Amino acid sequence: MALQLLVTDRNLNVVGDPITGWGQLSCDLTFNVPAAGAVTLPARPEVMALLQPGNRMVLIRDGSVWCAGPLEEPQDYTWDLGPAAGVGTVTARWTDDLGRIAGYLTYPDPTKTWTAQTTYLDENRKFTAANAEAIIRQLVSENCGPGALAARRIERLVLDTVAGVGTNRTISTRFEPLLDACRAAAVTDGLGFRTRQVGDQIRFGVYAPRDRTGTCRFSRGLGNLRRVGFTLGAPTGTSALVMGGGDPAQQTTPPNVRFYLEVASGAAADWYRVERLVQESGTDDDSEGELTLGGRRALADDAAQVSLSTETVDTEDLQAGRDFTLGDRVTVELPTGLEVTDIVRRIRLEATPEGGEQVTSVIGSSDQTTETRMVRTVRDLAYRLGRIEARGR
């Protein structure tokens, strides 16, 4: 396998020569989450001149772009006194172009600038009975893509070919992190979305992960299973008690109306009932399925009973990127004999000049701290604050 590192400007123009002499490299691609790459380099003047704010790192593997996007920490420099001190070393960290999309919020009216947004407190961006893929593409296009205001547009970002995936749903969003809104539209169908650099374009697209449980299998006997952790636990929510309609405390004229809906996961039959309150203020009823979607979104976080943490390694027979990709569902055979299926959450590439390359895949949750309730609560808080603000002062 051959690796190459290039630095480009924000318009994808290559600046300088390919970077050589790197010492350690890692790159994590994660399902529906911006990537994370890092490389350690000798801090030569020509290298430092490339690692500047606004530039992008492009990691090429066997002639194809593996990961490309903006430098998040262009220079993390260290030097200490010693016989081999030289010029010191610098670590550059970057993400993929999905990381730039993650920096945007959803405007209620994306055709207007921030100061020209409507003064109506309940205004939001609503998609009614629309295809999930179309919603995600539209959200990105109008907030930071080719359909966005010039000041908000990401350079060279275009929409990829339509995949024709997803079912219809109704969602609304207001000042929500853009990728969170995309995940909300994707969750029911299990859709994935990604950016990829093709020529002089950054293409954003949506795709449907595949069921590879019959052909992609990992086990100790096959030699492609490095580590596994499995937890069977009670759900933290089995019934989402959804409350829609206006807030009576904020209404000055009748009618003071609330709408109530229960969305059950079915897990209570095996465990026990656990209720969770979900407030969807500003949605008068469930005629368009918005309250049901809010309930399902809550249960997607809280109703999981199985936690699978698995690390696999590429072999000649089964390789990431060739036989499976992010979001695909695969099979893991535990040493106990139990077979569990889950999706590929992360693909990690590590390389050193001496040790060569190693590609590992994470199936399920690799690190419980990254999937904790606290992280979900923080994300949910941002969403709820937007909903609360929409009710009024």
Side-chain angles (χ1 to χ4, degrees):
M1 298 291 183
L3 297 179
Q4 186 180 42
L5 286 171
L6 299 175
V7 176
T8 76
D9 61 18
R10 64 181 67 235
N11 286 298
L12 278 63
N13 299 308
V14 176
V15 293
D17 298 324
I19 295 179
T20 59
W22 51 271
Q24 188 170 11
L25 183 148
S26 65
C27 185
D28 290 335
L29 308 179
T30 307
F31 184 57
N32 289 355
V33 174
V39 61
T40 301
L41 305 159
R44 300 189 301 265
E46 65 271 21
V47 171
M48 301 297 281
L50 296 177
L51 304 179
Q52 297 296 324
N55 282 349
R56 302 168 65 257
M57 184 72 77
V58 181
L59 173 59
I60 299 174
R61 186 178 188 231
D62 289 342
S64 298
V65 176
W66 180 265
C67 178
L71 289 162
E72 290 190 307
E73 291 184 10
Q75 300 181 14
D76 183 355
Y77 174 77
T78 58
W79 179 91
D80 55 31
L81 183 62
V87 295
T89 60
V90 60
T91 298
R93 298 180 179 87
W94 78 96
T95 182
D96 60 5
D97 292 299
L98 203 61
R100 287 201 64 183
I101 295 175
Y104 286 77
L105 301 179
T106 57
Y107 278 17
D109 188 346
T111 66
K112 297 179 180 179
T113 64
W114 171 256
T115 54
Q117 292 295 307
T118 178
T119 57
Y120 290 106
L121 295 171
D122 60 350
E123 183 72 18
N124 56 40
R125 183 70 173 99
K126 187 170 185 177
F127 299 85
T128 303
N131 171 264
E133 179 188 7
I135 292 174
I136 297 170
R137 289 168 60 90
Q138 183 68 23
L139 282 170
V140 170
S141 177
E142 67 189 18
N143 283 286
C144 63
L149 297 173
R152 304 185 73 205
R153 201 174 300 154
I154 295 175
E155 300 86 353
R156 315 307 299 174
L157 180 63
V158 299
L159 297 181
D160 212 336
T161 304
V162 175
V165 297
T167 57
N168 288 353
R169 65 196 69 262
T170 295
I171 71 166
S172 59
T173 179
R174 174 184 174 86
F175 304 137
E176 184 181 8
L178 178 53
L179 286 191
D180 283 359
C182 292
R183 294 186 193 101
V187 64
T188 302
D189 296 313
L191 299 180
F193 47 83
R194 60 194 169 197
T195 56
R196 58 193 187 104
Q197 180 175 324
V198 180
D200 62 353
Q201 294 181 328
I202 300 168
R203 299 183 183 179
F204 174 86
V206 182
Y207 67 99
R210 302 159 298 179
D211 185 345
R212 297 296 198 208
T213 54
T215 57
C216 294
R217 301 176 63 84
F218 300 90
S219 70
R220 181 172 59 179
L222 293 173
N224 55 14
L225 186 61
R226 289 181 52 175
R227 183 185 61 81
V228 63
F230 177 75
T231 303
L232 179 66
T236 58
T238 64
S239 292
L241 306 181
V242 187
M243 184 165 57
D247 187 347
Q250 304 294 336
Q251 294 182 9
T252 58
T253 59
N256 293 330
V257 177
R258 280 291 195 189
F259 188 90
Y260 299 94
L261 177 76
E262 180 174 353
V263 179
S265 68
D270 296 323
W271 294 90
Y272 39 78
R273 183 179 177 89
V274 182
E275 299 176 342
R276 177 179 176 181
L277 178 63
V278 179
Q279 297 190 58
E280 292 289 325
S281 298
T283 305
D284 295 333
D285 55 44
D286 197 44
S287 59
E288 297 173 337
E290 285 189 273
L291 299 184
T292 297
L293 180 62
R296 288 176 178 171
R297 180 179 179 177
L299 293 179
D301 284 342
D302 293 339
Q305 305 168 42
V306 175
S307 174
L308 176 67
S309 175
T310 301
E311 187 176 290
T312 72
V313 63
D314 269 11
T315 64
E316 288 297 324
D317 297 327
L318 193 59
Q319 295 183 11
R322 185 191 72 184
D323 303 302
F324 62 90
T325 190
L326 293 173
D328 287 353
R329 183 167 290 274
V330 298
T331 300
V332 177
E333 181 183 333
L334 306 182
T336 61
L338 177 66
E339 289 190 354
V340 181
T341 67
D342 209 328
I343 70 170
V344 179
R345 299 280 181 185
R346 183 175 302 135
I347 298 174
R348 180 176 180 83
L349 169 65
E350 295 179 287
T352 60
E354 302 81 12
E357 301 175 31
Q358 184 175 57
V359 177
T360 57
S361 300
V362 170
I363 301 165
S365 173
S366 63
D367 183 351
Q368 296 301 322
T369 62
T370 65
E371 297 293 333
T372 58
R373 304 300 175 205
M374 179 60 72
V375 174
R376 291 171 180 162
T377 298
V378 171
R379 290 176 177 171
D380 189 50
L381 179 60
Y383 170 76
R384 290 177 185 278
L385 285 174
R387 307 289 292 187
I388 292 172
E389 196 274 343
R391 297 185 206 167
R393 299 188 180 92

